[in-house]
Amino acid sequence: YNAQTEGEKMLKEVLHRSKDVHRVLSAELIESREEVRRLKALVEEKRAEIEAIETEEKKARHAELERVRTEYDAQIKKQKAQADDLIRRLKIMDKTVHGRDRDIKYRDSLLEERQREAQEKDTKITELIRSVRQQEIVIGTTREERDSKH
């Protein structure tokens, strides 16, 4: 009977210790699960922070790209306007040069015509002078003949 009581006592003690171990392990398991939950929550929080940072960086990069694109577009528009203005000015200059060329050709033709007219007049004057001299000679000769008769 003693051995049985002793065995039961030991069994009760082992059972009691086993329940204590179970309680301790259960408490540790609960703590571990809570720690896992906390860590998961922390991971999620950090993931959300990283996503927020990445989103902000994407927005900042996009904004920078838009700013550069806008600046580039403005430069292109400005350069195109300058090129258009230059082309317009060149066309005006071209018309002016053609107009001046036309004016110069017209003046040259007028000058040539006047020079021809002057040459013709000069030739006529020369012919008239010759004619007058010949007439003077003829008149002079007849005058001398008339004077010599008297």
Side-chain angles (χ1 to χ4, degrees):
Y1 173 78
N2 233 356
Q4 192 179 359
T5 323
E6 205 49 48
E8 285 176 4
K9 248 185 176 178
M10 281 177 63
L11 190 58
K12 281 183 183 179
E13 197 175 302
V14 166
L15 189 60
H16 182 67
R17 281 188 188 157
S18 165
K19 284 181 181 177
D20 285 346
V21 167
H22 184 269
R23 248 184 268 121
V24 168
L25 288 177
S26 290
E28 285 179 4
L29 180 63
I30 290 170
E31 280 180 31
S32 292
R33 284 182 180 160
E34 285 176 8
E35 182 67 18
V36 166
R37 258 187 252 116
R38 276 196 309 271
L39 289 174
K40 280 183 178 179
L42 185 61
V43 166
E44 271 309 306
E45 184 182 319
K46 293 299 179 188
R47 184 176 292 136
E49 286 177 16
I50 290 170
E51 284 179 9
I53 290 170
E54 287 174 347
T55 302
E56 284 303 311
E57 286 175 350
K58 283 180 187 176
K59 285 180 184 177
R61 279 195 305 269
H62 182 72
E64 178 65 14
L65 285 174
E66 278 303 309
R67 186 190 65 74
V68 169
R69 183 180 294 130
T70 303
E71 192 175 294
Y72 181 72
D73 288 346
Q75 286 178 351
I76 288 175
K77 283 180 184 178
K78 181 181 175 185
Q79 288 174 350
K80 186 181 181 319
Q82 288 173 341
D84 290 346
D85 185 52
L86 186 60
I87 289 169
R88 183 184 57 75
R89 283 202 244 148
L90 286 173
K91 285 180 180 178
I92 290 170
M93 279 201 241
D94 192 44
K95 286 179 183 178
T96 304
V97 167
H98 284 303
R100 286 183 184 156
D101 282 350
R102 240 189 349 265
D103 289 349
I104 289 170
K105 286 178 184 175
Y106 176 71
R107 288 182 193 142
D108 285 351
S109 68
L110 280 180
L111 184 61
E112 287 174 12
E113 189 177 323
R114 288 185 182 145
Q115 284 175 340
R116 255 194 324 275
E117 288 173 359
Q119 186 64 41
E120 288 172 8
K121 286 179 183 177
D122 193 40
T123 305
K124 285 182 183 178
I125 290 172
T126 306
E127 287 174 7
L128 278 174
I129 290 173
R130 247 191 240 131
S131 171
V132 166
R133 282 188 184 149
Q134 284 178 350
Q135 286 177 2
E136 282 178 348
I137 293 172
V138 170
I139 291 173
T141 309
T142 53
R143 206 180 268 154
E144 286 175 9
E145 287 176 1
R146 205 181 27 186
D147 288 343
S148 66
K149 287 183 183 176
H150 290 282

